[in-house]
Amino acid sequence: MEWSSTLAWLMSLLLLICSGNSEEYAVRLSLVGFLQALSGNDTGIIEKLGWSAATDPCTDGWNGVTCNNRTSSVYKIELEELGLRGTIDAGRLCQAPSLAAVSLLHNAIRGEIPPEISDCGRLTHLYLGGNRLTGGLPPSLTLLGNLKVLDVSDNGFSGKLPDLAKISGLVGFLAQNNRLHGAIPGFRFGNFDRRRFNVSNNLFAGPIPPGGDRLDQTSFIGNPGLCGKPLPVACPPSPSKEDHKSLRLSREKAIMFSGYIALGLVLFLFVTYKSIHRKKKTKHRKIADEKIASDSSSGKSSIPWASTEASTTAISSLIVLKRPGTTTDLKFDDLLKAPAELLGRGRNGSLYKVTMADGTSLAVKRIKDCGTSAAEFRTRMERIDMVRHPNVLPPVAFHCSTQEKLVVYECQRNGSLSSLLQGRQLDGVAFDWSYRLRVAAGVAEGLAAMHRELLADGIGHGNLKSSNILLTNVMDPCISEYGLVSDSRSVEKAGGGPAVAAADVHALGIILLELLTGKPVRNEPSELARWVNSVVREEWTVEVFDEALVSGGASEGGMVQLLQVALRCVHPSPAARPSMDHVAAMVNTVREEEDERSEVSEP
């Protein structure tokens, strides 16, 4: 019996070897890996479709796969309406050298289209509509020179379109019902009919390119900023050169002398005022912070203010967003009178713990001059308050005036992630691999949710670090101080929402490296990233990981996977970093795989 089983196994292995060369087997292995990522490791779907590296997709009939009969190679993959909830691994998908068509319509696929999609050089049809994909369309799509139809409709894509007009043979482009913005590229509209071109219900702006009037207006409706035919909204005429010249001459005559004099006077007065004001403000803040630091031990200190005028005129200007666990309404004068303890001082301001009359503890962040007006700050805080996530600490109240900007939070008694990294012990909490993955996933999900709602307004976190990851009473991670330090001018200068997003992704990558290495950032965050990269380049990857994780039996495969995510996040080029949605999806995939490993290993 034993010999017959062994003989059957050897014959199966021989058949497998004879059925194709090593490259074909590598393609099968890659496609199975693609399906695993796409399904979120749903073994039920994988078994239902019958994909296995031990079988041939063409002769053994993988469901959803069509082969080229002449070459016996995979030609088309069609996986529609299967409830797929994972991410697209284009690196593995594009290992199929003859792949020409992919349809993943109407699933629940998350994350972004990876830039590696350009490796599918023979791709002619790509259908991704009706999923939950986010981020921008990668510029690498323009490298698909054989592409004829691209469907990305009914997703959550944002950002500007790459110059898809470079693809000369494109005859179908469907991108309706997303959040794409900017100008529409100069497509060859003569290649499209009205059913195969649709960018409706986005945020596009500007004139419709020449030739767009060949199509029906339904291809463009729902973009308030678009103008020109076939839409009924005409574009405003551009001023002629003569108009510009005449207007310039008349204005020059009117303001040549008076303007120069007035401008010089205003600049002189402004510079003089700012110089005097800055000296007074700096002196007062220094005295105030030194006073509270020295008095906090006696319990008699209170929050210092820039001036008596600010404190008296602001009593009624505290804007309460969410009532904390107090029995009375929160008022500004209550904060003013309550004992305060200086918890820390950083480059963006000071943090105080305030104990109210009923014993409730509040955290008050006093923000240094961030270049944002009181009106802008109020708009920002009210916008942030509209978005809630269990892993993001919501503000309780805020105050903004010319001299002061304060934000009030409920106090979290279990400290921060930074304190755990520095060796603080908490009863009943093991800082092990499972808990670190829980923290990583919670932070990534919280940031992804905030980015989805706030990046269009240019609002990111702006100051993400482990000391801003607080721990709730059930030890869940909770992101504090979201959106307090970035202002509209710096966002515009940096390049808008994408630059803000890339900075937050880099900061999250540093936190992931802290979790993996157990090394808290001391000075410059990039130092940790440089050290990790240097070790990885020398192929000493295991040396990176926290000894406590290795000795605690953490999965090396899982740690390597999370390390790869972290290194993508801290890539030197902001454009090469993944979106926060994609990061959250990758971290959750690692966590789910680790949970499955734990279940299998349990007796």
Side-chain angles (χ1 to χ4, degrees):
M1 193 70 176
E2 251 180 68
W3 277 105
S4 61
S5 299
T6 304
L7 183 61
W9 179 82
L10 287 172
M11 290 182 67
S12 298
L13 181 61
L14 185 62
L15 285 171
L16 178 61
I17 294 171
C18 293
S19 65
N21 56 35
S22 59
E23 181 182 2
E24 292 172 341
Y25 178 74
V27 170
R28 299 178 208 168
L29 201 61
S30 293
L31 290 177
V32 171
F34 163 73
L35 181 58
Q36 288 174 337
L38 196 68
S39 66
N41 284 316
D42 188 328
T43 55
I45 291 178
I46 297 172
E47 291 175 2
K48 177 182 176 181
L49 294 174
W51 290 30
S52 169
T55 61
D56 187 272
C58 299
T59 58
D60 296 316
W62 288 11
N63 290 317
V65 172
T66 303
C67 292
N68 184 315
N69 293 330
R70 184 174 59 83
T71 61
S72 296
S73 58
V74 175
Y75 174 80
K76 179 180 180 181
I77 293 177
E78 189 174 6
L79 303 173
E80 300 177 359
E81 299 181 7
L82 293 173
L84 300 168
R85 297 179 178 274
T87 58
I88 298 173
D89 188 338
R92 289 176 173 172
L93 172 67
C94 297
Q95 292 299 311
S98 302
L99 186 64
V102 175
S103 181
L104 308 176
L105 293 170
H106 308 303
N107 284 286
I109 301 168
R110 305 166 295 162
E112 298 182 341
I113 300 177
E116 293 84 2
I117 193 68
S118 60
D119 294 340
C120 293
R122 295 193 178 184
L123 201 63
T124 60
H125 294 73
L126 180 59
Y127 298 94
L128 302 175
N131 283 285
R132 298 177 184 173
L133 294 166
T134 56
L137 299 183
S140 59
L141 282 171
T142 62
L143 302 177
L144 294 173
N146 295 311
L147 195 64
K148 297 183 180 300
V149 178
L150 175 61
D151 181 356
V152 294
S153 60
D154 301 296
N155 278 286
F157 289 115
S158 57
K160 296 181 179 181
L161 283 181
D163 191 7
L164 297 172
K166 291 180 178 179
I167 307 175
S168 59
L170 194 67
V171 297
F173 179 60
L174 302 175
Q176 66 269 26
N177 304 319
N178 282 284
R179 292 180 292 172
L180 298 164
H181 66 264
I184 296 176
F187 288 102
R188 295 173 176 83
F189 289 105
N191 293 349
F192 303 104
D193 62 41
R194 65 179 182 178
R195 293 170 300 176
R196 303 189 78 176
F197 183 88
N198 196 330
V199 293
S200 62
N201 301 319
N202 279 282
L203 301 170
F204 290 114
I208 294 174
D213 55 353
R214 295 170 177 263
L215 304 175
D216 192 89
Q217 65 175 325
T218 56
S219 298
F220 300 98
I221 60 173
N223 292 281
L226 277 183
C227 62
K229 293 182 179 182
L231 295 176
V233 182
C235 295
S238 301
S240 66
K241 292 183 178 179
E242 291 299 321
D243 291 337
H244 278 298
K245 184 177 180 181
S246 176
L247 182 62
R248 184 174 66 251
L249 288 173
S250 63
R251 286 180 176 175
E252 285 175 355
K253 291 177 181 178
I255 66 172
M256 182 178 293
F257 295 106
S258 59
Y260 290 151
I261 295 172
L263 181 61
L265 181 60
V266 168
L267 287 173
F268 175 75
L269 293 174
F270 177 76
V271 171
T272 303
Y273 166 77
K274 291 296 290 183
S275 177
I276 296 172
H277 179 71
R278 187 181 295 111
K279 289 179 180 178
K280 288 183 177 179
K281 188 174 181 180
T282 302
K283 181 178 180 181
H284 175 81
R285 287 185 181 274
K286 183 177 180 181
I287 294 172
D289 281 348
E290 287 175 353
K291 181 180 183 301
I292 193 169
S294 61
D295 291 347
S296 59
S297 59
S298 65
K300 296 179 181 180
S301 60
S302 59
I303 299 177
W305 300 98
S307 68
T308 305
E309 180 186 359
S311 61
T312 56
T313 58
I315 290 177
S316 60
S317 65
L318 186 70
I319 299 170
V320 178
L321 300 169
K322 173 182 178 291
R323 281 186 59 182
T326 56
T327 56
T328 60
D329 291 334
L330 183 62
K331 296 180 180 178
F332 189 84
D333 54 349
D334 295 332
L335 285 177
L336 191 64
K337 297 173 183 176
E341 176 189 352
L342 180 64
L343 297 180
R345 187 185 296 117
R347 63 186 179 91
N348 296 311
S350 302
L351 182 66
Y352 304 92
K353 178 181 178 182
V354 177
T355 304
M356 305 301 289
D358 63 355
T360 301
S361 294
L362 297 175
V364 180
K365 178 73 175 185
R366 179 185 179 190
I367 304 168
K368 290 181 180 178
D369 184 16
C370 60
T372 305
S373 69
E376 290 173 333
F377 188 76
R378 175 169 182 160
T379 300
R380 171 184 291 271
M381 294 308 303
E382 289 175 343
R383 182 71 183 91
I384 291 172
D385 185 56
M386 293 171 64
V387 185
R388 296 297 177 94
H389 190 275
N391 294 114
V392 179
L393 187 65
V396 171
F398 70 91
H399 160 74
C400 54
S401 67
T402 305
Q403 290 122 329
E404 296 290 348
K405 292 179 179 65
L406 305 171
V407 183
V408 183
Y409 296 98
E410 291 184 13
C411 209
Q412 304 300 310
R413 301 179 183 278
N414 283 328
S416 68
L417 174 60
S418 177
S419 64
L420 289 183
L421 289 166
Q422 292 174 19
R424 181 188 176 200
Q425 300 292 325
L426 290 175
D427 293 338
V429 178
F431 195 43
D432 56 9
W433 176 229
S434 176
Y435 181 71
R436 297 190 201 198
L437 274 178
R438 174 180 159 191
V439 170
V443 174
E445 288 172 1
L447 288 169
M450 302 300 280
H451 275 202
R452 282 194 295 270
E453 299 297 328
L454 297 174
L455 270 189
D457 300 312
I459 303 176
H461 189 289
N463 189 34
L464 185 66
K465 52 188 177 181
S466 57
S467 59
N468 283 338
I469 309 300
L470 305 182
L471 306 173
T472 67
N473 58 340
V474 293
M475 296 304 294
D476 283 332
C478 200
I479 303 163
S480 68
E481 300 186 17
Y482 190 95
L484 299 193
V485 299
S486 57
D487 63 87
S488 57
R489 283 172 291 180
S490 63
V491 168
E492 185 177 354
K493 183 177 179 181
V500 174
D504 279 359
V505 168
H506 185 276
L508 176 57
I510 296 296
I511 290 173
L512 296 180
L513 291 179
E514 288 182 295
L515 289 169
L516 286 164
T517 64
K519 299 179 183 294
V521 169
R522 299 294 183 186
N523 298 309
E524 176 59 39
S526 296
E527 291 179 3
L528 178 60
R530 284 194 293 269
W531 174 76
V532 171
N533 271 304
S534 67
V535 175
V536 172
R537 277 196 299 270
E538 296 294 333
E539 299 183 358
W540 297 338
T541 303
V542 179
E543 300 297 323
V544 163
F545 301 127
D546 187 355
E547 187 178 339
L549 292 178
V550 177
S551 61
S555 161
E556 183 178 333
M559 291 192 293
V560 170
Q561 281 182 281
L562 191 62
L563 178 63
Q564 291 171 339
V565 175
L567 292 178
R568 289 186 63 181
C569 291
V570 298
H571 194 285
S573 170
R577 297 169 196 161
S579 71
M580 198 64 78
D581 267 321
H582 195 190
V583 176
M586 291 188 290
V587 173
N588 272 312
T589 297
V590 176
R591 188 183 183 194
E592 290 164 5
E593 290 177 357
E594 289 300 290
D595 288 343
E596 289 176 4
R597 285 194 188 102
S598 298
E599 291 173 3
V600 170
S601 62
E602 287 178 0

